[in-house]
Amino acid sequence: MRDFTHARGTGAARIAPVESEGAVAAAVPTRLVYDFAEGSREMRVLLGGKGANVAEMTRILGPDRVPGGFTITTEACVAYMNAGAEPEGLEAQVDAALARLEARAGKRLGDPDDPLLVSVRSGARDSMPGMLDTVLNLGLNDASVHGLSEATGNARFAWDSYRRFVQMFGNVVRGVPGERLEAEIAAVKAQRGATLDTDLDVEALEDLTARFKAIFREQTGEEFPAEPRDQLRQAILAVFDSWMGARAVSYRRINRIPDDWGTAVNVQQMVYGNKGDTSCSGVAFSRDEVTGAPQPSGDFLVNAQGEDVVSGVRTPQDLSEFGEVMPAAHAELMEILQTLERHYKDMQDTEFTVEEGRLYMLQTRNAKRPAQAAVRFATDAVNEGLLTEAEAIVTIDAETLEALLHPTIDPHAEYSVLTSGVAASPGAAQGEIVFEARDAVEAAEAGRAVLLVRPFTEADDVAGFHAAKGILTSEGGKASHAALVARGMGRPCVCGASDLDIDLEAGTVAVGGTVLHAGDLLTINGSTGEVTVDEVALVDPEIGESFLTILSWADDLRRLGVRTNADTPEDARKARAFGAEGIGLCRTEHMFMAADRLPKMKAMILAESEAERRGALAELRPLQQSDFEGLFEAMEGLTVTIRLLDPPLHEFLPKLDDLKIQAERARHDGGAGELAQLEHLLERVGSLHEVNPMLGTRGCRLGILYPEIYEMQVEAIVRAALAVRERTGLAPHLEVMIPLVNYEHEIELMRDLVVSTAHGLGLEVGRDFSVGTMIELPRACLVAERIAHHADFFSFGTNDLTQTTLGFSRDDIEGRILAKYIDRKILDRSPFETIDRPGVGELVKMAAWNGRLAEPDLKLGVCGEHGGDPNSIDFFENAGIDYVSCSPYRVPVARVAAAQAAVRRGS
Ligand code: ADP
Ligand code: MG
Ligand code: MG
């Protein structure tokens, strides 16, 4: 209760609705330009990540280490987009900032004798591919190139800079095709017998520059702009325009970045890595970016400008050689990397240039890194005294951790990507293609590894999921049926690989020119969404020392409990190995799906009388009991929450349409006995048919209609618990859960049934077990106080609660509607992945609050998919929930995410 009141106090204020997060104000702001010296890392929303960090570096490393410049704000970009024209005052403010920069540099833009040159660099809040590439050496023209040559005494450098500028400006700002320009370089090289760009002499570079200008004229119908202020203006507006370019827009859609962030533009004095053998450009990570090991890693190129390092025109040298080539600059860089790490309290990814032996830092940011590197850094940083455990744990992207639990493609393997889709469930899987679930089952029984490949999947396909190594679909997204089930089972999955043309009739899958058949080998990478036909090796995961350490810190830091959703002893054991503290949801219906159960289940459903039904149930009871025994043994005395039967009964019966066809066929050529049987079945199935089963006869409504079903289940649970206690001395802590409660009388009735059935067998409520309910209907949230009087716990079934609150049928809206909604910016992500805070979340908070008002000791859990989603876990931490429950492979993710949420709340 203490936790909860606290959460209520702090929670309401911190939980901002998703839509309002970080939108940039619509009114045109007056201040549009900031000098680097004025900014800081806290200003990332306004200055973009690059600008904010360049400003921060200027402060901590001093202005001599970071070339000067200024940032045009993201608000200026937004104002430009909204008005379709340069915002009022921008030109004057850029002029003023430029004048300050010129004064500082002691050079003027466009000075024919000793020109100031600048780079123009885009930089959104988060680094984002699809944005405009950087333009270097802006300010050069036919006159100032001579001045630069004379001022530096280096004509080759001056002309190399000029040809780069004409090339980049033409390509980046005016869209002259890069290939045409590269082809020209190749032609000049061939003509002069040069192999490297650096082999080209002054004359060759002059020639190239002239050729580039000619191509520019031909492509744009204009002369190359000679006036530096005009060059600058065009470049700035091109950066703004690129924010709405197709590449950037589609990247934002995929990564859920709102359009109204806008991008900043950074204008920065040039330093030159292309001044000869004592100059270079490079990138450096403060630690190894793949493994996280403490040695800095990176690449550099002597006598080159930065774009060469990343563009792959020349092959860079490994950073390990930097110390030999330029010892002094190397030593400085090593020290700066440490300073930056200490300052940012995170691993850094930097860009630098050395001009005639002098080191300059051009960029720094927290390094994006794979899970193993993130985990290694976090533990090392604590050992080194750089970070506390709490600080270290929040540097990890919890979402990526699941990758450490699945096999992966050998990191050294080279392969070509056939196509790609949504990375829907992590890990790599390899096997022969099968198109039907039953083929997957058959192949698995024969010991073959298969991948289930389908346009999309349905409930019927689930047996195939278990049998397959992985799932590949051409439709659906991260919250599609295939993705959800695959994640639940820990199967790698790639969804929505929309270039695949899957023909189930023909048994083929085509993409590009390739046609694959059943039996062909395929590998999917559910962590990246890639699909390949190459034979790549898979390697087993290792839960290394570092990861275990992180998990133990997480357990110390977190308040939320972490349980698992598991229906089988195998899953239960796996989840416990991953640290699950109990089962938060055992779905009993899966137990009736197995081949030896289904006929008995059918007989029970088709029974004509209660007596007949009880007869069938009596046959099911020992089977169910033995399932529970297996589960309870696997949990060794931990809590197990068992949900009584939930789905509509017809899910266990053949499909109505299939039966009709069979009956039709039997009428023609079958025996009379078979026909009579089919007709009877048809009649029963027809009578159970529902227009909208999700809202029909399911959940506790089943228990009220057929109490004998729930009685049988309770009996099986109680007998299993007694048997396990007898055998192992460890009784599970039982929690019996009533699904889909709306009215307090529903739970009152069902609670009585459970309590009296258990009492008859010797178990007492309160002492031996508790009874609670799933909260998955909006009404239940509204009347939580009444329901709580009859419940020992609430478990929020956030999947159904999302469906019923939003009126979204998950399977129906997922494809077309969700995609469109994201496209039209109605939603920024699927509410089935991350909880809809203002809607569903608010109901959860209300039910938690009102439930606790009635019963201060009420236990609160979450057992929907959201229980394994870090963003949702952050919400649950603040909503006063006691524990989350998620699929086994999400358990470590949830432990870390819960710790992060607790750290964030505490700070
Ligand atoms: P990206 O976002 O693609 O990394 P950047 O704006 O960081 O683009 O620029 C890419 C590279 O261009 C930098 O790493 C650096 O090498 C070079 N560069 C950018 N600005 C300058 C500058 N003022 N002086 C020298 N090199 C620069
Ligand atoms: Mg770039
Ligand atoms: Mg960069």
Side-chain angles (χ1 to χ4, degrees):
M1 191 60 205
R2 184 176 40 90
D3 275 335
F4 181 60
T5 13
H6 176 55
R8 183 73 180 184
T10 56
R14 326 174 117 243
I15 297 158
V18 175
E19 303 94 288
S20 75
E21 257 169 20
V24 172
V28 180
T30 46
R31 182 83 193 268
L32 302 168
V33 178
Y34 289 79
D35 288 354
F36 290 163
E38 298 174 291
S40 73
R41 69 198 275 202
E42 280 75 36
M43 294 166 75
R44 126 180 247 124
V45 168
L46 188 63
L47 303 180
K50 197 181 280 172
N53 284 325
V54 166
E56 187 80 6
M57 279 204 300
T58 306
R59 295 195 312 150
I60 56 178
L61 302 178
D64 293 343
R65 279 275 167 266
V66 185
F70 53 89
T71 303
I72 301 162
T73 65
T74 54
E75 289 180 346
C77 175
V78 172
Y80 171 78
M81 283 188 313
N82 289 343
E86 258 179 284
E88 179 82 28
L90 179 62
E91 199 169 319
Q93 290 187 41
V94 169
D95 282 337
L98 194 58
R100 289 191 297 274
L101 180 61
E102 288 174 333
R104 220 201 78 149
K107 298 179 188 197
R108 278 186 310 104
L109 192 74
D111 183 341
D113 296 326
D114 183 13
L116 170 72
L117 303 189
V118 295
S119 63
V120 176
R121 318 170 64 186
S122 61
R125 198 182 299 187
D126 284 341
S127 102
M128 217 184 90
M131 293 304 301
L132 211 62
D133 284 331
T134 296
V135 176
L136 302 178
N137 312 328
L138 186 140
L140 279 174
N141 56 28
D142 290 348
S144 63
V145 67
H146 294 291
L148 184 65
S149 170
E150 256 146 57
T152 59
N154 190 339
R156 188 192 179 281
F157 153 71
W159 279 98
D160 184 52
S161 301
Y162 194 20
R163 75 91 186 155
R164 285 171 189 273
F165 170 56
V166 177
Q167 181 180 0
M168 282 190 216
F169 187 93
N171 173 236
V172 171
V173 178
R174 302 299 300 272
V176 176
E179 313 84 69
R180 278 212 61 186
L181 301 166
E182 286 296 337
E184 218 59 37
I185 299 181
V188 172
K189 276 203 239 171
Q191 209 177 44
R192 296 174 185 253
T195 45
L196 296 177
D197 291 3
T198 42
D199 295 337
L200 294 173
D201 59 14
V202 174
E203 204 188 315
L205 293 166
E206 277 186 56
D207 179 20
L208 251 187
T209 310
R211 288 172 183 233
F212 286 165
K213 281 199 209 154
I215 296 173
F216 184 94
R217 195 179 310 118
E218 183 192 315
Q219 293 278 330
T220 65
E222 288 171 30
E223 285 301 324
F224 189 84
E227 211 286 297
R229 189 63 184 80
D230 180 34
Q231 295 170 352
L232 182 60
R233 181 169 174 275
Q234 287 195 33
I236 291 168
L237 296 186
V239 172
F240 286 165
D241 287 332
S242 76
W243 178 257
M244 289 316 290
R247 267 200 311 163
V249 169
S250 82
Y251 178 85
R252 289 203 293 277
R253 294 292 175 273
I254 293 167
N255 292 280
R256 307 174 183 133
I257 296 173
D259 287 341
D260 57 9
W261 280 9
T263 182
V265 186
N266 301 289
V267 177
Q268 186 172 31
Q269 180 177 3
M270 283 302 301
V271 289
Y272 307 103
N274 57 336
K275 262 192 176 172
D277 290 344
T278 55
S279 303
C280 74
S281 295
V283 297
F285 290 85
S286 60
R287 311 198 178 216
D288 188 291
E289 86 267 34
V290 176
T291 64
Q295 301 73 32
S297 65
D299 290 323
F300 72 105
L301 257 179
V302 174
N303 195 11
Q305 288 199 315
E307 287 293 316
D308 296 351
V309 184
V310 281
S311 71
V313 191
R314 277 163 62 193
T315 309
Q317 284 176 275
D318 196 90
L319 194 69
S320 56
E321 296 166 35
F322 188 39
E324 290 153 39
V325 183
M326 299 178 192
H330 175 260
E332 277 174 332
L333 178 65
M334 294 302 118
E335 207 183 300
I336 286 176
L337 291 176
Q338 276 201 7
T339 304
L340 291 174
E341 256 195 7
R342 235 174 276 131
H343 182 73
Y344 281 93
K345 292 180 179 292
D346 204 341
M347 192 170 145
Q348 295 299 296
D349 168 358
T350 71
E351 295 170 13
F352 66 91
T353 284
V354 177
E355 178 180 336
E356 298 185 316
R358 237 187 112 61
L359 175 72
Y360 294 94
M361 299 306 293
L362 294 170
Q363 191 171 340
T364 194
R365 60 184 161 204
N366 293 346
K368 285 220 169 69
R369 54 216 187 247
Q372 69 266 18
V375 158
R376 171 83 191 261
F377 169 74
T379 51
D380 284 357
V382 171
N383 289 337
E384 294 165 16
L386 182 64
L387 304 180
T388 64
E389 292 174 9
E391 286 169 338
I393 214 157
V394 294
T395 65
I396 296 172
D397 179 357
E399 191 60 50
T400 65
L401 291 173
E402 198 183 335
L404 295 178
L405 308 171
H406 295 282
T408 53
I409 293 180
D410 182 349
H412 304 296
E414 282 188 12
Y415 56 93
S416 56
V417 176
L418 176 71
T419 187
S420 52
V422 178
S425 177
Q430 188 168 60
E432 299 168 17
I433 296 174
V434 294
F435 294 105
E436 300 291 339
R438 60 173 178 276
D439 297 339
V441 176
E442 223 169 77
E445 277 167 3
R448 285 165 29 229
V450 293
L451 289 185
L452 182 61
V453 179
R454 295 190 56 80
F456 53 90
T457 64
E458 295 173 280
D460 284 354
D461 300 320
V462 170
F465 278 63
H466 244 300
K469 294 285 178 202
I471 292 87
L472 171 63
T473 71
S474 56
E475 292 173 28
K478 254 197 147 164
S480 64
H481 175 265
L484 289 173
V485 179
R487 282 203 294 276
M489 288 186 184
R491 292 288 181 279
C493 175
V494 173
C495 283
S498 51
D499 290 341
L500 292 179
D501 188 0
I502 300 171
D503 186 339
L504 295 176
E505 295 275 295
T508 57
V509 46
V511 56
T514 314
V515 180
L516 301 167
H517 298 86
D520 290 348
L521 187 83
L522 206 62
T523 304
I524 61 170
N525 186 347
S527 311
T528 62
E530 290 174 348
V531 180
T532 179
V533 285
D534 294 355
E535 252 183 72
V536 288
L538 301 191
V539 292
D540 268 340
E542 247 179 81
I543 300 197
E545 204 58 31
S546 298
F547 194 15
L548 290 174
T549 304
I550 297 292
L551 287 169
S552 79
W553 294 344
D555 292 345
D556 290 341
L557 290 166
R558 70 188 159 91
R559 181 192 62 82
L560 280 170
V562 177
R563 298 192 195 173
T564 192
N565 298 349
D567 315 330
T568 64
E570 184 200 345
D571 276 356
R573 267 191 294 271
K574 194 180 292 158
R576 284 203 49 207
F578 290 151
E581 297 159 318
I583 291 181
L585 174 63
C586 167
R587 301 176 175 91
T588 51
E589 52 272 17
H590 290 177
M591 298 176 177
F592 298 120
M593 293 284 189
D596 58 332
R597 319 285 165 82
L598 202 52
K600 297 187 171 64
M601 189 67 184
K602 274 189 203 160
M604 189 278 287
I605 297 168
L606 296 173
E608 305 278 352
S609 65
E610 189 186 320
E612 203 184 312
R613 188 156 45 244
R614 283 189 182 277
L617 283 167
E619 286 191 44
L620 280 168
R621 209 244 319 128
L623 298 171
Q624 177 132 67
Q625 182 182 331
S626 75
D627 286 342
F628 286 132
E629 286 181 28
L631 202 65
F632 297 165
E633 274 183 18
M635 292 313 284
E636 295 179 14
L638 296 178
T639 302
V640 180
T641 308
I642 300 159
R643 177 178 74 183
L644 299 181
L645 193 66
D646 178 51
L649 296 180
H650 67 77
E651 283 202 5
F652 302 95
L653 299 176
K655 286 209 172 96
L656 193 60
D657 288 343
D658 292 350
L659 279 178
K660 280 182 183 156
I661 293 167
Q662 277 180 35
E664 197 60 40
R665 203 170 287 146
R667 227 162 266 139
H668 279 294
D669 44 42
E674 193 197 350
L675 181 61
Q677 231 182 351
L678 272 170
E679 271 174 346
H680 177 65
L681 189 58
L682 195 56
E683 190 255 322
R684 273 304 276 166
V685 174
S687 76
L688 287 169
H689 181 76
E690 292 183 318
V691 175
N692 192 344
M694 196 194 87
L695 302 176
T697 316
R698 55 166 290 209
C700 67
R701 300 166 204 172
L702 280 173
I704 287 165
L705 249 52
Y706 312 106
E708 53 278 10
I709 298 179
Y710 277 14
E711 276 169 33
M712 178 282 279
Q713 290 199 291
V714 174
E715 208 179 315
I717 294 165
V718 170
R719 287 180 192 273
L722 291 171
V724 170
R725 185 167 74 189
E726 175 91 24
R727 228 175 8 247
T728 68
L730 291 172
H733 181 80
L734 291 178
E735 295 184 340
V736 178
M737 183 150 78
I738 313 295
L740 213 74
V741 165
N742 242 334
Y743 299 94
E744 70 261 39
H745 286 310
E746 287 173 331
I747 179 147
E748 197 179 358
L749 283 173
M750 290 301 102
R751 184 186 177 92
D752 281 351
L753 178 150
V754 174
V755 169
S756 65
T757 307
H759 175 75
L761 297 164
L763 290 195
E764 301 306 327
V765 70
R767 187 191 70 190
D768 301 311
F769 67 96
S770 55
V771 182
T773 176
M774 285 288 267
I775 299 285
E776 45 193 337
L777 294 170
R779 185 181 197 279
C781 295
L782 297 171
V783 301
E785 205 172 335
R786 296 169 182 225
I787 291 174
H789 287 305
H790 309 283
D792 303 315
F793 62 88
F794 283 176
S795 178
F796 291 94
T798 50
N799 295 346
D800 270 339
L801 187 58
T802 299
Q803 297 205 82
T804 53
T805 300
L806 301 178
F808 277 173
S809 153
R810 181 167 69 198
D811 295 339
D812 296 320
I813 72 130
E814 197 119 75
R816 272 159 296 174
I817 297 175
L818 201 54
K820 193 73 181 172
Y821 269 44
I822 289 171
D823 198 41
R824 300 296 308 272
K825 291 183 262 176
I826 298 168
L827 288 173
D828 69 351
R829 67 187 66 193
S830 165
F832 295 103
E833 252 176 71
T834 293
I835 194 153
D836 159 44
R837 292 186 181 205
V840 179
E842 213 45 47
L843 282 173
V844 169
K845 281 202 296 186
M846 176 194 293
W849 179 254
N850 289 332
R852 285 250 171 90
L853 273 184
E855 293 294 325
D857 296 330
L858 189 71
K859 205 194 279 182
L860 299 172
V862 169
C863 64
E865 279 282 310
H866 305 94
D869 170 61
N871 186 317
S872 308
I873 287 172
D874 192 73
F875 174 82
F876 298 136
E877 166 73 21
N878 291 297
I881 299 296
D882 294 315
Y883 70 87
V884 294
S885 187
C886 54
S887 58
Y889 281 97
R890 297 299 287 184
V891 167
V893 174
R895 287 161 74 192
V896 172
Q900 293 174 334
V903 170
R904 276 194 290 265
R905 199 181 85 177
S907 63

